[in-house]
């Protein structure tokens, strides 16, 4: 089975979606994702799927195990300021965290750091 198909299936599963549900959300024909088992998807379809899951096309193709998308602002750096935490897309268990949950996480981190300084 293709790595691409398995990655798409896994990402969909993490969000509680069947492949048919994913096809509906993407507005593509039924069973078209199953075709990826046998043939490589076209680049525009691959990009559409990567955008939906907010992962890189290289991840979907199996070229990397890192699903994160590199851009000029984060290339070569994994630093995120706690104050800007809520501005960054964060996921847990394949689902995007709400702004409220991000703020809770930020508060926990700030509390921990204050306690550690004592």
């Amino acid at each position: 089975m293709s790595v691409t198909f398995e990655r798409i299936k896994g990402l969909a599963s993490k969000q509680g979606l069947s492949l048919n549900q994913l096809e509906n959300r993407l507005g593509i024909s039924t069973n078209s994702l199953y075709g990826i088992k046998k043939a490589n998807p076209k680049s525009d379809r691959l990009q559409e799927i990567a955008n939906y899951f907010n992962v890189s096309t290289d991840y979907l193709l199996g070229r990397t195990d890192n699903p994160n998308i590199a851009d000029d602002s984060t290339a070569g750096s994994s630093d995120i300021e706690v104050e800007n935490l809520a501005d960054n897309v964060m996921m847990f268990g394949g689902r995007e965290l709400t702004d409220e949950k991000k703020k809770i996480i930020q508060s926990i981190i700030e509390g921990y750091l204050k306690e550690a300084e004592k």
Side-chain angles (χ1 to χ4, degrees), residues 69-92:
I69 300 170
D71 64 23
D72 292 340
S73 66
T74 59
S77 173
S78 61
D79 297 339
I80 297 175
E81 294 195 28
V82 174
E83 294 82 8
N84 299 327
L85 190 62
D87 296 334
N88 294 289
V89 174
M90 294 179 54
M91 298 185 80
F92 182 78

Side-chain angles (χ1 to χ4, degrees), residues 1-2 5-6 9 19 32-40:
M1 218 173 285
S2 89
F5 177 78
E6 288 300 318
K9 186 177 174 183
L19 290 179
S32 60
L33 292 176
Y34 289 98
I36 295 173
K37 284 183 182 182
K38 298 176 184 174
N40 291 328

Side-chain angles (χ1 to χ4, degrees), residues 21-38:
Q21 290 171 317
L22 177 59
E23 290 165 336
N24 287 336
R25 288 191 178 190
L26 294 173
I28 58 179
S29 61
T30 303
N31 294 326
S32 60
L33 292 176
Y34 289 98
I36 295 173
K37 284 183 182 182
K38 298 176 184 174

Side-chain angles (χ1 to χ4, degrees), residues 10-110:
L11 289 166
S13 177
K14 283 182 183 178
Q15 289 192 5
L17 298 172
S18 69
L19 290 179
N20 289 333
Q21 290 171 317
L22 177 59
E23 290 165 336
N24 287 336
R25 288 191 178 190
L26 294 173
I28 58 179
S29 61
T30 303
N31 294 326
S32 60
L33 292 176
Y34 289 98
I36 295 173
K37 284 183 182 182
K38 298 176 184 174
N40 291 328
K42 292 184 178 183
S43 61
D44 58 337
R45 175 62 42 86
L46 189 68
Q47 187 64 54
E48 180 182 12
I49 296 166
N51 288 345
Y52 180 83
F53 289 115
N54 197 34
V55 298
S56 70
T57 53
D58 282 339
Y59 174 75
L60 291 179
L61 292 169
R63 293 180 182 159
T64 180
D65 289 332
N66 181 357
N68 297 323
I69 300 170
D71 64 23
D72 292 340
S73 66
T74 59
S77 173
S78 61
D79 297 339
I80 297 175
E81 294 195 28
V82 174
E83 294 82 8
N84 299 327
L85 190 62
D87 296 334
N88 294 289
V89 174
M90 294 179 54
M91 298 185 80
F92 182 78
R95 296 182 184 188
E96 189 173 332
L97 294 174
T98 64
D99 286 340
E100 181 181 341
K101 289 180 181 176
K102 290 177 193 177
K103 288 177 183 176
I104 291 169
I105 292 170
Q106 180 179 344
S107 297
I108 292 169
I109 292 170
E110 289 171 345

